[in-house]
Amino acid sequence: MKVLKFLPLAFAISLLPAQAAVTMVNGGENHPSLLQNQTDWTVDMGVALPVFPASPGLVLMESGGDGTGVAAVLQGNDLVLYQDNGDFNVSTPDVDDYAVYDISSFSGQVVSMRLTGSFATATDTIALSILGSDGTTFAETLTMSADIVNAAGGNRFGLGGVAGDLAGVDESAEAGYPNTAAFNNADYDVDAAPVGANVLGPDRIKGIVYTGTDAAPASLPAPTSWGVVPEPGTGLLSLLGTCLLVFRRRR
């Protein structure tokens, strides 16, 4: 199996045992809810991150929707991970869980990002790992406040945009909750043809969805293996920075 590291990522994945539930996904696509009724899952993504702060924000992935669903979105320097556990209820506002992570250190990079959901026990978690093209790593775990059994409702799975609706829309107007409603519009729609103007396409984000406890490989793919590229502005800024650095050194 050592030969896999020399092969293109998609082809290497196709050589995995057939019993492993592995689905390749591209930015701008929607699929039947790949995470629905799954208690253990992993979503690997190759993402060309913008230079922060980005406005408007970006949707990386989502499954399910408002009521029951999970979403990972970018808002400025922050990666917001949101788990929606039902319609907003003023008497029980703590049934939803979210975390906000400053990932400004990955600005302008291509990264490998992994979300791993573990919902088979009474302590449910979503683990986040990031590997940058410069070798920088980041790891955090969001622990659910209640046993919710499942991460995704009946809506489809969207990569780079929103399929159906997005987790947390009901709660967005409430103090302290992320404003995910800002992404619940046609500009982020992966159901449309053509897709919304702010949807990340396959040149900016690609993914692999694993379901089953042993399906995902132990380590993240190399960021360069995804074949995604930064937006033109990001590339130009990086090139300009490199040129200035060389100029300074020569002086």
Side-chain angles (χ1 to χ4, degrees):
M1 293 297 289
K2 289 183 179 179
V3 70
L4 290 183
K5 68 179 181 179
F6 300 108
L7 298 174
L9 183 61
F11 182 67
I13 290 298
S14 72
L15 298 180
L16 288 173
Q19 64 267 27
V22 181
T23 305
M24 304 292 294
V25 291
N26 285 314
E29 294 180 349
N30 71 82
H31 295 260
S33 191
L34 299 175
L35 307 188
Q36 187 179 6
N37 298 321
Q38 299 292 331
T39 56
D40 294 282
W41 49 264
T42 296
V43 179
D44 279 355
M45 295 176 283
V47 189
L49 292 176
V51 173
F52 303 121
S55 180
L58 299 171
V59 176
L60 299 183
M61 61 77 61
E62 63 94 10
S63 185
D66 190 31
T68 302
V70 62
V73 301
L74 287 175
Q75 293 180 313
N77 294 330
D78 295 328
L79 171 64
V80 180
L81 184 59
Y82 194 93
Q83 177 66 60
D84 196 342
N85 296 321
D87 294 332
F88 185 77
N89 187 330
V90 175
S91 64
T92 56
D94 58 345
V95 296
D96 293 346
D97 296 284
Y98 68 91
V100 180
Y101 304 114
D102 182 350
I103 61 169
S104 55
S105 59
F106 296 98
S107 176
Q109 293 190 48
V110 173
V111 304
S112 263
M113 186 179 298
R114 170 172 289 179
L115 294 174
T116 299
S118 299
F119 294 85
T121 66
T123 302
D124 298 335
T125 61
I126 300 177
L128 166 68
S129 300
I130 304 175
L131 170 63
S133 52
D134 66 351
T136 303
T137 59
F138 180 91
E140 290 285 349
T141 299
L142 171 61
T143 301
M144 305 294 118
S145 58
D147 182 7
I148 64 171
V149 181
N150 194 352
N155 284 2
R156 297 175 297 285
F157 176 97
L159 189 71
V162 180
D165 57 13
L166 195 64
V169 174
D170 281 352
E171 292 82 357
S172 291
E174 302 298 327
Y177 281 85
N179 182 18
T180 62
F183 303 106
N184 208 56
N185 59 67
D187 288 340
Y188 295 92
D189 189 355
V190 297
D191 294 328
V195 299
N198 294 333
V199 170
L200 296 177
D203 58 331
R204 296 284 305 282
I205 187 169
K206 293 179 181 177
I208 309 171
V209 179
Y210 303 88
T211 54
T213 55
D214 300 318
S219 57
L220 282 165
T224 54
S225 68
W226 292 99
V228 296
V229 294
E231 58 187 338
T234 299
L236 290 173
L237 287 173
S238 299
L239 178 62
L240 179 60
T242 302
C243 292
L244 289 174
L245 182 60
V246 170
F247 178 70
R248 284 182 178 181
R249 286 177 174 173
R250 286 179 175 174
R251 290 188 63 186

